[in-house]
Amino acid sequence: MRKAIIVGAYGCGNKGDDAILEGMLEKLKYNYRVIVLSGKYGGIKETFGVKTIKCRMNEGFSVPVLISLVGFMVQFIYNVISTDIVIIGGGSLLHDLTPYNLPFFFMLQTITKFFRKKVYYLGVGAGPISTKRGKSRCRKYLNRADGIYIRDIPDEKLLKRIGVFNVKLIADIAFLVKTDKELSLDLLKEKNLQVGKYIVMTACEWFKSDNFWKKKSMNFDKERKVLIEGMRRIIKETGLPIVFLPTVYHDYNLAVELKKYFNKDQFIIIEHNYNCRIMASIISNSSILFGMRMHSIIFAIRAGVPFIATIYDQKVKSLLKRIDGLKYAIQFEELNSDKLNNKIRKIYDNYERISNELNKSATLLYEVVKDSIKDI
């Protein structure tokens, strides 16, 4: 059997990224023995049954991380020698927001090509790529890759605009994964929740993607108040409790802050040590999703669960455009009780139709991804 190495933000505490990995493994498991680069939060080997190489690049730039890279590079080179392909992706990997991001991935590409192995960028997001050096690096290295499969339409246009031409548009790799509703039944029972009788919520503590790099110096009290008001309206209109799912480990901090404003039966936090399969199952068994995190929305689409999407990032907007789903969305800065109430009423008045539409969209995007990468 052939061998593949997968490079991405896996084992880094983000269940959305881990869902991308699951989608890749669905595609590759019959033809490849897979090795995955995994971050400090781990769980990849146990969840997916694959060999891993520890990689700390997603922890940022520091002396301990640089020291760890020596051991990582030895392992990477050792495994590349006997591999057939290296897959970089998916997720929002191609950007120049940090000085080390693009050089790291392009270094791995250079090593792989030195040993005459194939390199694919699969299901990746691109942007921002705003510096002259970042654009030049992308032109130089991406045009030498054996395939670039981009997740979003604006990202495809961006790469072509800066001179990368071997680009193919697909969709998020997580659309390849099917949800098992039974996986979460024991957990729901433990939390005294009934199937179809709760609202799932996902949110990130910096509320807009642009705030990520400066979140430690910012005060988000105003945004939290807006979110709390919206949650109270949802509970009032539906009579259902909210179940908060931390998609990324630090979302749990936001959940703890929000819980202070609700009765324990109104707001239930699912501890963040569950895996992406459980997350998808919890969403599939819910009534609706009030979601900010993109992969929670993808899980809802796949399961035909109607949602209200709170847009905090361009990638969420791009996804919704592809399924004609902006009618289910609210920009975070425009979030208020009246708009939420209107969305909730429209969902419950047209629940079956919306669910069917989402199922059709999920099938379409599943086929797009499957057919586009069949030659890897």
Side-chain angles (χ1 to χ4, degrees):
M1 183 176 284
R2 294 191 294 169
K3 182 176 169 184
I5 298 175
I6 300 178
V7 179
Y10 307 117
C12 297
N14 187 324
K15 293 167 185 65
D17 286 329
D18 293 350
I20 295 171
L21 175 61
E22 184 170 7
M24 287 191 183
L25 294 175
E26 273 299 309
K27 164 67 181 173
L28 300 171
K29 65 184 178 183
Y30 300 108
N31 299 316
Y32 291 92
R33 286 187 297 110
V34 175
I35 299 175
V36 179
L37 270 60
S38 178
K40 70 175 182 178
Y41 288 91
I44 298 301
K45 181 178 181 180
E46 294 77 13
T47 301
F48 301 109
V50 294
K51 182 179 176 182
T52 60
I53 300 174
K54 185 177 181 180
C55 179
R56 297 182 60 184
M57 271 305 295
N58 282 287
E59 296 177 41
F61 194 75
S62 66
V63 172
V65 169
L66 285 175
I67 293 172
S68 74
L69 281 177
V70 176
F72 161 73
M73 291 305 302
V74 171
Q75 289 190 66
F76 183 78
I77 292 170
Y78 174 79
N79 283 282
V80 163
I81 292 171
S82 60
T83 200
D84 295 281
I85 63 171
V86 170
I87 295 174
I88 299 174
S92 304
L93 301 183
L94 297 177
H95 64 77
D96 56 7
L97 289 169
T98 67
Y100 54 82
N101 188 70
L102 291 176
F104 175 71
F105 293 118
F106 294 154
M107 175 183 66
L108 299 186
Q109 174 181 325
T110 300
I111 292 169
T112 304
K113 298 302 283 186
F114 176 81
F115 290 104
R116 304 193 180 198
K117 309 304 171 95
K118 291 186 175 182
V119 176
Y120 296 92
Y121 289 81
L122 181 56
V124 291
I129 304 171
S130 53
T131 64
K132 185 176 180 180
R133 178 173 290 185
K135 293 175 183 177
S136 175
R137 283 171 170 161
C138 286
R139 280 194 297 272
K140 177 180 178 180
Y141 290 98
L142 294 180
N143 281 319
R144 296 176 181 175
D146 295 279
I148 303 171
Y149 299 86
I150 288 292
R151 179 184 63 195
D152 302 315
I153 294 172
D155 299 2
E156 176 197 27
K157 292 179 179 178
L158 168 64
L159 289 182
K160 288 183 176 180
R161 192 163 58 245
I162 65 178
V164 181
F165 298 110
N166 56 338
V167 179
K168 191 167 188 177
L169 176 67
I170 56 170
D172 196 283
I173 306 298
F175 278 104
L176 289 178
V177 185
K178 294 182 179 180
T179 302
D180 183 350
K181 287 191 172 187
E182 293 189 2
L183 281 177
S184 62
L185 294 182
D186 288 343
L187 179 56
L188 295 180
K189 185 178 180 180
E190 177 188 322
K191 297 290 185 179
N192 294 316
L193 294 167
Q194 298 179 37
V195 172
K197 299 295 184 180
Y198 59 90
I199 309 293
V200 166
M201 176 182 175
T202 63
C204 60
E205 61 180 347
W206 51 86
F207 301 100
K208 288 182 67 176
S209 60
D210 293 346
N211 296 335
F212 176 81
W213 305 100
K214 47 191 177 181
K215 62 181 184 292
K216 291 182 180 179
S217 62
M218 294 182 68
N219 186 316
F220 296 113
D221 286 346
K222 180 180 177 181
E223 286 82 359
R224 288 193 191 97
K225 287 179 181 178
V226 171
L227 201 57
I228 290 165
E229 180 186 352
M231 293 160 62
R232 283 175 174 158
R233 189 60 179 261
I234 289 175
I235 292 170
K236 179 181 178 181
E237 293 299 324
T238 65
L240 300 176
I242 287 178
V243 174
F244 191 103
L245 289 180
T247 308
V248 181
Y249 67 95
H250 38 59
D251 293 350
Y252 185 79
N253 300 328
L254 173 62
V256 171
E257 285 297 313
L258 296 176
K259 188 174 177 62
K260 297 175 184 177
Y261 298 90
F262 298 90
N263 298 330
K264 66 176 183 179
D265 295 331
Q266 292 179 319
F267 188 82
I268 298 161
I269 304 173
I270 303 297
E271 290 72 16
H272 56 88
N273 58 349
Y274 62 93
N275 61 45
C276 62
R277 294 171 175 168
I278 298 294
M279 180 178 181
S281 183
I282 292 170
I283 291 173
S284 72
N285 283 316
S286 68
S287 176
I288 64 172
L289 166 74
F290 178 40
M292 186 179 294
R293 289 292 194 178
M294 187 178 79
H295 283 92
S296 69
I297 298 169
I298 290 175
F299 293 153
I301 295 169
R302 284 184 350 201
V305 172
F307 59 84
I308 302 169
T310 310
I311 298 176
Y312 84 107
D313 190 284
Q314 176 61 42
K315 64 186 179 183
V316 176
K317 192 171 184 179
S318 298
L319 168 66
L320 296 178
K321 279 185 175 180
R322 290 187 74 175
I323 65 164
D324 190 27
L326 286 177
K327 56 194 172 186
Y328 310 129
I330 304 174
Q331 288 285 155
F332 185 85
E333 55 269 26
E334 298 174 3
L335 183 64
N336 61 55
S337 292
D338 290 337
K339 286 190 176 183
L340 267 176
N341 185 46
N342 289 335
K343 298 286 184 186
I344 292 167
R345 289 184 179 277
K346 286 180 180 178
I347 283 176
Y348 283 112
D349 288 345
N350 302 277
Y351 196 93
E352 187 174 350
R353 178 181 61 79
I354 294 171
S355 181
N356 290 335
E357 288 177 357
L358 293 176
N359 282 322
K360 289 178 182 178
S361 295
T363 300
L364 177 63
L365 292 177
Y366 168 85
E367 294 296 335
V368 166
V369 178
K370 186 186 72 170
D371 291 344
S372 295
I373 62 175
K374 59 186 177 183
D375 295 328
I376 292 180

PDB file of all heavy atoms in Angstrom, residues 117-148:
ATOM      1  N   LYS A 117       8.859  13.503  -4.736  1.00  0.00           N
ATOM      2  CA  LYS A 117       7.533  13.047  -4.338  1.00  0.00           C
ATOM      3  C   LYS A 117       6.511  14.134  -4.681  1.00  0.00           C
ATOM      4  O   LYS A 117       6.859  15.302  -4.833  1.00  0.00           O
ATOM      5  CB  LYS A 117       7.496  12.740  -2.830  1.00  0.00           C
ATOM      6  CG  LYS A 117       8.618  11.828  -2.358  1.00  0.00           C
ATOM      7  CD  LYS A 117       8.644  10.509  -3.117  1.00  0.00           C
ATOM      8  CE  LYS A 117       9.890   9.692  -2.803  1.00  0.00           C
ATOM      9  NZ  LYS A 117       9.686   8.728  -1.767  1.00  0.00           N
ATOM     10  N   LYS A 118       5.251  13.748  -4.776  1.00  0.00           N
ATOM     11  CA  LYS A 118       4.211  14.692  -5.162  1.00  0.00           C
ATOM     12  C   LYS A 118       3.682  15.478  -3.966  1.00  0.00           C
ATOM     13  O   LYS A 118       3.608  14.948  -2.851  1.00  0.00           O
ATOM     14  CB  LYS A 118       3.066  13.960  -5.859  1.00  0.00           C
ATOM     15  CG  LYS A 118       3.448  13.404  -7.225  1.00  0.00           C
ATOM     16  CD  LYS A 118       2.230  12.825  -7.942  1.00  0.00           C
ATOM     17  CE  LYS A 118       2.624  12.378  -9.356  1.00  0.00           C
ATOM     18  NZ  LYS A 118       1.449  11.863 -10.102  1.00  0.00           N
ATOM     19  N   VAL A 119       3.294  16.741  -4.229  1.00  0.00           N
ATOM     20  CA  VAL A 119       2.740  17.617  -3.198  1.00  0.00           C
ATOM     21  C   VAL A 119       1.407  18.165  -3.681  1.00  0.00           C
ATOM     22  O   VAL A 119       1.312  18.709  -4.792  1.00  0.00           O
ATOM     23  CB  VAL A 119       3.683  18.798  -2.895  1.00  0.00           C
ATOM     24  CG1 VAL A 119       3.034  19.746  -1.888  1.00  0.00           C
ATOM     25  CG2 VAL A 119       5.004  18.304  -2.351  1.00  0.00           C
ATOM     26  N   TYR A 120       0.396  18.019  -2.842  1.00  0.00           N
ATOM     27  CA  TYR A 120      -0.925  18.566  -3.140  1.00  0.00           C
ATOM     28  C   TYR A 120      -1.358  19.496  -2.002  1.00  0.00           C
ATOM     29  O   TYR A 120      -1.136  19.192  -0.828  1.00  0.00           O
ATOM     30  CB  TYR A 120      -1.965  17.456  -3.282  1.00  0.00           C
ATOM     31  CG  TYR A 120      -1.726  16.514  -4.444  1.00  0.00           C
ATOM     32  CD1 TYR A 120      -0.981  15.344  -4.269  1.00  0.00           C
ATOM     33  CD2 TYR A 120      -2.243  16.786  -5.704  1.00  0.00           C
ATOM     34  CE1 TYR A 120      -0.757  14.475  -5.324  1.00  0.00           C
ATOM     35  CE2 TYR A 120      -2.023  15.918  -6.773  1.00  0.00           C
ATOM     36  CZ  TYR A 120      -1.278  14.771  -6.570  1.00  0.00           C
ATOM     37  OH  TYR A 120      -1.055  13.906  -7.619  1.00  0.00           O
ATOM     38  N   TYR A 121      -1.989  20.606  -2.376  1.00  0.00           N
ATOM     39  CA  TYR A 121      -2.666  21.466  -1.402  1.00  0.00           C
ATOM     40  C   TYR A 121      -4.149  21.157  -1.532  1.00  0.00           C
ATOM     41  O   TYR A 121      -4.751  21.376  -2.591  1.00  0.00           O
ATOM     42  CB  TYR A 121      -2.381  22.943  -1.697  1.00  0.00           C
ATOM     43  CG  TYR A 121      -0.962  23.341  -1.391  1.00  0.00           C
ATOM     44  CD1 TYR A 121       0.067  23.067  -2.292  1.00  0.00           C
ATOM     45  CD2 TYR A 121      -0.638  23.965  -0.191  1.00  0.00           C
ATOM     46  CE1 TYR A 121       1.382  23.416  -2.014  1.00  0.00           C
ATOM     47  CE2 TYR A 121       0.676  24.326   0.098  1.00  0.00           C
ATOM     48  CZ  TYR A 121       1.675  24.044  -0.813  1.00  0.00           C
ATOM     49  OH  TYR A 121       2.970  24.394  -0.520  1.00  0.00           O
ATOM     50  N   LEU A 122      -4.732  20.624  -0.472  1.00  0.00           N
ATOM     51  CA  LEU A 122      -6.076  20.056  -0.575  1.00  0.00           C
ATOM     52  C   LEU A 122      -7.054  20.734   0.386  1.00  0.00           C
ATOM     53  O   LEU A 122      -6.845  20.738   1.602  1.00  0.00           O
ATOM     54  CB  LEU A 122      -6.014  18.553  -0.276  1.00  0.00           C
ATOM     55  CG  LEU A 122      -7.315  17.772  -0.349  1.00  0.00           C
ATOM     56  CD1 LEU A 122      -7.981  17.930  -1.707  1.00  0.00           C
ATOM     57  CD2 LEU A 122      -7.054  16.286  -0.059  1.00  0.00           C
ATOM     58  N   GLY A 123      -8.121  21.327  -0.168  1.00  0.00           N
ATOM     59  CA  GLY A 123      -9.167  21.933   0.637  1.00  0.00           C
ATOM     60  C   GLY A 123      -8.705  23.123   1.440  1.00  0.00           C
ATOM     61  O   GLY A 123      -9.228  23.398   2.517  1.00  0.00           O
ATOM     62  N   VAL A 124      -7.715  23.858   0.912  1.00  0.00           N
ATOM     63  CA  VAL A 124      -7.145  24.969   1.673  1.00  0.00           C
ATOM     64  C   VAL A 124      -7.888  26.278   1.397  1.00  0.00           C
ATOM     65  O   VAL A 124      -8.468  26.471   0.334  1.00  0.00           O
ATOM     66  CB  VAL A 124      -5.644  25.157   1.373  1.00  0.00           C
ATOM     67  CG1 VAL A 124      -4.832  24.011   1.925  1.00  0.00           C
ATOM     68  CG2 VAL A 124      -5.393  25.325  -0.117  1.00  0.00           C
ATOM     69  N   GLY A 125      -7.835  27.165   2.393  1.00  0.00           N
ATOM     70  CA  GLY A 125      -8.271  28.537   2.217  1.00  0.00           C
ATOM     71  C   GLY A 125      -7.049  29.405   1.981  1.00  0.00           C
ATOM     72  O   GLY A 125      -5.963  29.110   2.481  1.00  0.00           O
ATOM     73  N   ALA A 126      -7.212  30.464   1.217  1.00  0.00           N
ATOM     74  CA  ALA A 126      -6.100  31.361   0.909  1.00  0.00           C
ATOM     75  C   ALA A 126      -6.486  32.797   1.255  1.00  0.00           C
ATOM     76  O   ALA A 126      -7.580  33.243   0.916  1.00  0.00           O
ATOM     77  CB  ALA A 126      -5.724  31.261  -0.571  1.00  0.00           C
ATOM     78  N   GLY A 127      -5.580  33.475   1.929  1.00  0.00           N
ATOM     79  CA  GLY A 127      -5.791  34.875   2.235  1.00  0.00           C
ATOM     80  C   GLY A 127      -5.940  35.128   3.726  1.00  0.00           C
ATOM     81  O   GLY A 127      -6.328  34.229   4.488  1.00  0.00           O
ATOM     82  N   PRO A 128      -5.572  36.343   4.143  1.00  0.00           N
ATOM     83  CA  PRO A 128      -5.016  37.369   3.254  1.00  0.00           C
ATOM     84  C   PRO A 128      -3.586  37.050   2.830  1.00  0.00           C
ATOM     85  O   PRO A 128      -2.819  36.505   3.617  1.00  0.00           O
ATOM     86  CB  PRO A 128      -5.057  38.638   4.109  1.00  0.00           C
ATOM     87  CG  PRO A 128      -4.988  38.149   5.523  1.00  0.00           C
ATOM     88  CD  PRO A 128      -5.704  36.831   5.546  1.00  0.00           C
ATOM     89  N   ILE A 129      -3.282  37.382   1.587  1.00  0.00           N
ATOM     90  CA  ILE A 129      -1.905  37.364   1.096  1.00  0.00           C
ATOM     91  C   ILE A 129      -1.661  38.773   0.563  1.00  0.00           C
ATOM     92  O   ILE A 129      -1.970  39.086  -0.596  1.00  0.00           O
ATOM     93  CB  ILE A 129      -1.701  36.305  -0.003  1.00  0.00           C
ATOM     94  CG1 ILE A 129      -2.105  34.926   0.505  1.00  0.00           C
ATOM     95  CG2 ILE A 129      -0.244  36.288  -0.473  1.00  0.00           C
ATOM     96  CD1 ILE A 129      -2.144  33.844  -0.559  1.00  0.00           C
ATOM     97  N   SER A 130      -1.166  39.631   1.414  1.00  0.00           N
ATOM     98  CA  SER A 130      -1.138  41.066   1.112  1.00  0.00           C
ATOM     99  C   SER A 130       0.260  41.633   0.914  1.00  0.00           C
ATOM    100  O   SER A 130       0.416  42.717   0.345  1.00  0.00           O
ATOM    101  CB  SER A 130      -1.842  41.843   2.235  1.00  0.00           C
ATOM    102  OG  SER A 130      -1.299  41.508   3.488  1.00  0.00           O
ATOM    103  N   THR A 131       1.291  40.911   1.374  1.00  0.00           N
ATOM    104  CA  THR A 131       2.645  41.438   1.236  1.00  0.00           C
ATOM    105  C   THR A 131       3.238  41.054  -0.121  1.00  0.00           C
ATOM    106  O   THR A 131       2.867  40.032  -0.711  1.00  0.00           O
ATOM    107  CB  THR A 131       3.555  40.903   2.350  1.00  0.00           C
ATOM    108  OG1 THR A 131       3.685  39.481   2.208  1.00  0.00           O
ATOM    109  CG2 THR A 131       2.974  41.226   3.726  1.00  0.00           C
ATOM    110  N   LYS A 132       4.174  41.855  -0.572  1.00  0.00           N
ATOM    111  CA  LYS A 132       4.840  41.577  -1.840  1.00  0.00           C
ATOM    112  C   LYS A 132       5.585  40.247  -1.770  1.00  0.00           C
ATOM    113  O   LYS A 132       5.553  39.445  -2.711  1.00  0.00           O
ATOM    114  CB  LYS A 132       5.810  42.716  -2.163  1.00  0.00           C
ATOM    115  CG  LYS A 132       6.482  42.591  -3.520  1.00  0.00           C
ATOM    116  CD  LYS A 132       7.355  43.802  -3.805  1.00  0.00           C
ATOM    117  CE  LYS A 132       8.031  43.684  -5.166  1.00  0.00           C
ATOM    118  NZ  LYS A 132       8.898  44.872  -5.441  1.00  0.00           N
ATOM    119  N   ARG A 133       6.242  39.994  -0.634  1.00  0.00           N
ATOM    120  CA  ARG A 133       6.977  38.743  -0.465  1.00  0.00           C
ATOM    121  C   ARG A 133       6.029  37.544  -0.426  1.00  0.00           C
ATOM    122  O   ARG A 133       6.324  36.492  -1.005  1.00  0.00           O
ATOM    123  CB  ARG A 133       7.802  38.804   0.821  1.00  0.00           C
ATOM    124  CG  ARG A 133       8.570  37.531   1.115  1.00  0.00           C
ATOM    125  CD  ARG A 133       9.506  37.692   2.293  1.00  0.00           C
ATOM    126  NE  ARG A 133      10.620  38.567   1.951  1.00  0.00           N
ATOM    127  CZ  ARG A 133      11.645  38.818   2.765  1.00  0.00           C
ATOM    128  NH1 ARG A 133      11.670  38.268   3.973  1.00  0.00           N
ATOM    129  NH2 ARG A 133      12.619  39.608   2.390  1.00  0.00           N
ATOM    130  N   GLY A 134       4.887  37.701   0.255  1.00  0.00           N
ATOM    131  CA  GLY A 134       3.926  36.612   0.320  1.00  0.00           C
ATOM    132  C   GLY A 134       3.396  36.235  -1.054  1.00  0.00           C
ATOM    133  O   GLY A 134       3.286  35.051  -1.388  1.00  0.00           O
ATOM    134  N   LYS A 135       3.074  37.237  -1.862  1.00  0.00           N
ATOM    135  CA  LYS A 135       2.578  36.978  -3.216  1.00  0.00           C
ATOM    136  C   LYS A 135       3.646  36.307  -4.072  1.00  0.00           C
ATOM    137  O   LYS A 135       3.360  35.377  -4.833  1.00  0.00           O
ATOM    138  CB  LYS A 135       2.122  38.289  -3.848  1.00  0.00           C
ATOM    139  CG  LYS A 135       0.909  38.895  -3.180  1.00  0.00           C
ATOM    140  CD  LYS A 135       0.573  40.268  -3.767  1.00  0.00           C
ATOM    141  CE  LYS A 135      -0.611  40.890  -3.026  1.00  0.00           C
ATOM    142  NZ  LYS A 135      -0.928  42.257  -3.527  1.00  0.00           N
ATOM    143  N   SER A 136       4.881  36.793  -3.935  1.00  0.00           N
ATOM    144  CA  SER A 136       5.976  36.215  -4.712  1.00  0.00           C
ATOM    145  C   SER A 136       6.217  34.761  -4.337  1.00  0.00           C
ATOM    146  O   SER A 136       6.411  33.898  -5.206  1.00  0.00           O
ATOM    147  CB  SER A 136       7.247  37.045  -4.471  1.00  0.00           C
ATOM    148  OG  SER A 136       8.361  36.448  -5.111  1.00  0.00           O
ATOM    149  N   ARG A 137       6.184  34.473  -3.033  1.00  0.00           N
ATOM    150  CA  ARG A 137       6.377  33.093  -2.585  1.00  0.00           C
ATOM    151  C   ARG A 137       5.276  32.173  -3.087  1.00  0.00           C
ATOM    152  O   ARG A 137       5.536  31.031  -3.505  1.00  0.00           O
ATOM    153  CB  ARG A 137       6.425  33.049  -1.060  1.00  0.00           C
ATOM    154  CG  ARG A 137       7.745  33.507  -0.461  1.00  0.00           C
ATOM    155  CD  ARG A 137       7.646  33.644   1.044  1.00  0.00           C
ATOM    156  NE  ARG A 137       8.961  33.847   1.652  1.00  0.00           N
ATOM    157  CZ  ARG A 137       9.152  34.352   2.860  1.00  0.00           C
ATOM    158  NH1 ARG A 137       8.102  34.689   3.604  1.00  0.00           N
ATOM    159  NH2 ARG A 137      10.366  34.505   3.346  1.00  0.00           N
ATOM    160  N   CYS A 138       4.052  32.664  -3.055  1.00  0.00           N
ATOM    161  CA  CYS A 138       2.931  31.845  -3.531  1.00  0.00           C
ATOM    162  C   CYS A 138       3.074  31.531  -5.010  1.00  0.00           C
ATOM    163  O   CYS A 138       2.845  30.389  -5.430  1.00  0.00           O
ATOM    164  CB  CYS A 138       1.606  32.553  -3.252  1.00  0.00           C
ATOM    165  SG  CYS A 138       1.111  32.516  -1.509  1.00  0.00           S
ATOM    166  N   ARG A 139       3.449  32.526  -5.803  1.00  0.00           N
ATOM    167  CA  ARG A 139       3.648  32.274  -7.236  1.00  0.00           C
ATOM    168  C   ARG A 139       4.746  31.236  -7.453  1.00  0.00           C
ATOM    169  O   ARG A 139       4.605  30.303  -8.247  1.00  0.00           O
ATOM    170  CB  ARG A 139       4.018  33.573  -7.962  1.00  0.00           C
ATOM    171  CG  ARG A 139       2.865  34.466  -8.288  1.00  0.00           C
ATOM    172  CD  ARG A 139       3.271  35.543  -9.279  1.00  0.00           C
ATOM    173  NE  ARG A 139       4.308  36.421  -8.718  1.00  0.00           N
ATOM    174  CZ  ARG A 139       4.057  37.516  -8.000  1.00  0.00           C
ATOM    175  NH1 ARG A 139       2.795  37.858  -7.759  1.00  0.00           N
ATOM    176  NH2 ARG A 139       5.037  38.256  -7.540  1.00  0.00           N
ATOM    177  N   LYS A 140       5.844  31.407  -6.740  1.00  0.00           N
ATOM    178  CA  LYS A 140       7.007  30.551  -6.948  1.00  0.00           C
ATOM    179  C   LYS A 140       6.722  29.108  -6.563  1.00  0.00           C
ATOM    180  O   LYS A 140       7.043  28.176  -7.325  1.00  0.00           O
ATOM    181  CB  LYS A 140       8.184  31.091  -6.126  1.00  0.00           C
ATOM    182  CG  LYS A 140       9.438  30.227  -6.213  1.00  0.00           C
ATOM    183  CD  LYS A 140      10.553  30.836  -5.368  1.00  0.00           C
ATOM    184  CE  LYS A 140      11.808  29.967  -5.400  1.00  0.00           C
ATOM    185  NZ  LYS A 140      12.908  30.549  -4.575  1.00  0.00           N
ATOM    186  N   TYR A 141       6.129  28.897  -5.395  1.00  0.00           N
ATOM    187  CA  TYR A 141       5.986  27.540  -4.875  1.00  0.00           C
ATOM    188  C   TYR A 141       4.686  26.860  -5.291  1.00  0.00           C
ATOM    189  O   TYR A 141       4.684  25.677  -5.639  1.00  0.00           O
ATOM    190  CB  TYR A 141       6.106  27.558  -3.346  1.00  0.00           C
ATOM    191  CG  TYR A 141       7.508  27.871  -2.880  1.00  0.00           C
ATOM    192  CD1 TYR A 141       7.856  29.160  -2.504  1.00  0.00           C
ATOM    193  CD2 TYR A 141       8.482  26.878  -2.826  1.00  0.00           C
ATOM    194  CE1 TYR A 141       9.150  29.454  -2.073  1.00  0.00           C
ATOM    195  CE2 TYR A 141       9.777  27.157  -2.406  1.00  0.00           C
ATOM    196  CZ  TYR A 141      10.101  28.462  -2.030  1.00  0.00           C
ATOM    197  OH  TYR A 141      11.379  28.740  -1.625  1.00  0.00           O
ATOM    198  N   LEU A 142       3.573  27.574  -5.253  1.00  0.00           N
ATOM    199  CA  LEU A 142       2.300  26.925  -5.554  1.00  0.00           C
ATOM    200  C   LEU A 142       2.226  26.471  -7.010  1.00  0.00           C
ATOM    201  O   LEU A 142       1.603  25.446  -7.309  1.00  0.00           O
ATOM    202  CB  LEU A 142       1.137  27.868  -5.222  1.00  0.00           C
ATOM    203  CG  LEU A 142       0.967  28.202  -3.734  1.00  0.00           C
ATOM    204  CD1 LEU A 142      -0.220  29.145  -3.529  1.00  0.00           C
ATOM    205  CD2 LEU A 142       0.801  26.945  -2.898  1.00  0.00           C
ATOM    206  N   ASN A 143       2.857  27.211  -7.906  1.00  0.00           N
ATOM    207  CA  ASN A 143       2.851  26.795  -9.306  1.00  0.00           C
ATOM    208  C   ASN A 143       3.705  25.553  -9.556  1.00  0.00           C
ATOM    209  O   ASN A 143       3.646  24.957 -10.630  1.00  0.00           O
ATOM    210  CB  ASN A 143       3.329  27.940 -10.201  1.00  0.00           C
ATOM    211  CG  ASN A 143       2.235  28.970 -10.431  1.00  0.00           C
ATOM    212  OD1 ASN A 143       1.066  28.624 -10.629  1.00  0.00           O
ATOM    213  ND2 ASN A 143       2.585  30.248 -10.391  1.00  0.00           N
ATOM    214  N   ARG A 144       4.499  25.154  -8.556  1.00  0.00           N
ATOM    215  CA  ARG A 144       5.299  23.928  -8.664  1.00  0.00           C
ATOM    216  C   ARG A 144       4.620  22.725  -8.008  1.00  0.00           C
ATOM    217  O   ARG A 144       5.126  21.607  -8.102  1.00  0.00           O
ATOM    218  CB  ARG A 144       6.672  24.145  -8.015  1.00  0.00           C
ATOM    219  CG  ARG A 144       7.524  25.204  -8.709  1.00  0.00           C
ATOM    220  CD  ARG A 144       8.820  25.430  -7.934  1.00  0.00           C
ATOM    221  NE  ARG A 144       9.634  26.453  -8.565  1.00  0.00           N
ATOM    222  CZ  ARG A 144      10.782  26.927  -8.055  1.00  0.00           C
ATOM    223  NH1 ARG A 144      11.210  26.433  -6.890  1.00  0.00           N
ATOM    224  NH2 ARG A 144      11.460  27.860  -8.676  1.00  0.00           N
ATOM    225  N   ALA A 145       3.513  22.970  -7.325  1.00  0.00           N
ATOM    226  CA  ALA A 145       2.793  21.869  -6.680  1.00  0.00           C
ATOM    227  C   ALA A 145       2.094  21.012  -7.731  1.00  0.00           C
ATOM    228  O   ALA A 145       1.842  21.458  -8.860  1.00  0.00           O
ATOM    229  CB  ALA A 145       1.774  22.421  -5.691  1.00  0.00           C
ATOM    230  N   ASP A 146       1.774  19.789  -7.361  1.00  0.00           N
ATOM    231  CA  ASP A 146       1.125  18.865  -8.296  1.00  0.00           C
ATOM    232  C   ASP A 146      -0.381  19.073  -8.374  1.00  0.00           C
ATOM    233  O   ASP A 146      -1.026  18.545  -9.278  1.00  0.00           O
ATOM    234  CB  ASP A 146       1.437  17.431  -7.879  1.00  0.00           C
ATOM    235  CG  ASP A 146       2.923  17.118  -8.008  1.00  0.00           C
ATOM    236  OD1 ASP A 146       3.376  16.832  -9.124  1.00  0.00           O
ATOM    237  OD2 ASP A 146       3.631  17.186  -6.975  1.00  0.00           O
ATOM    238  N   GLY A 147      -0.928  19.823  -7.451  1.00  0.00           N
ATOM    239  CA  GLY A 147      -2.353  20.146  -7.488  1.00  0.00           C
ATOM    240  C   GLY A 147      -2.701  21.073  -6.343  1.00  0.00           C
ATOM    241  O   GLY A 147      -2.181  20.915  -5.234  1.00  0.00           O
ATOM    242  N   ILE A 148      -3.552  22.057  -6.629  1.00  0.00           N
ATOM    243  CA  ILE A 148      -4.017  22.980  -5.593  1.00  0.00           C
ATOM    244  C   ILE A 148      -5.539  22.989  -5.640  1.00  0.00           C
ATOM    245  O   ILE A 148      -6.146  23.438  -6.615  1.00  0.00           O
ATOM    246  CB  ILE A 148      -3.477  24.406  -5.806  1.00  0.00           C
ATOM    247  CG1 ILE A 148      -1.959  24.389  -5.849  1.00  0.00           C
ATOM    248  CG2 ILE A 148      -3.957  25.335  -4.692  1.00  0.00           C
ATOM    249  CD1 ILE A 148      -1.358  25.716  -6.273  1.00  0.00           C
TER     250      ILE A 148
END
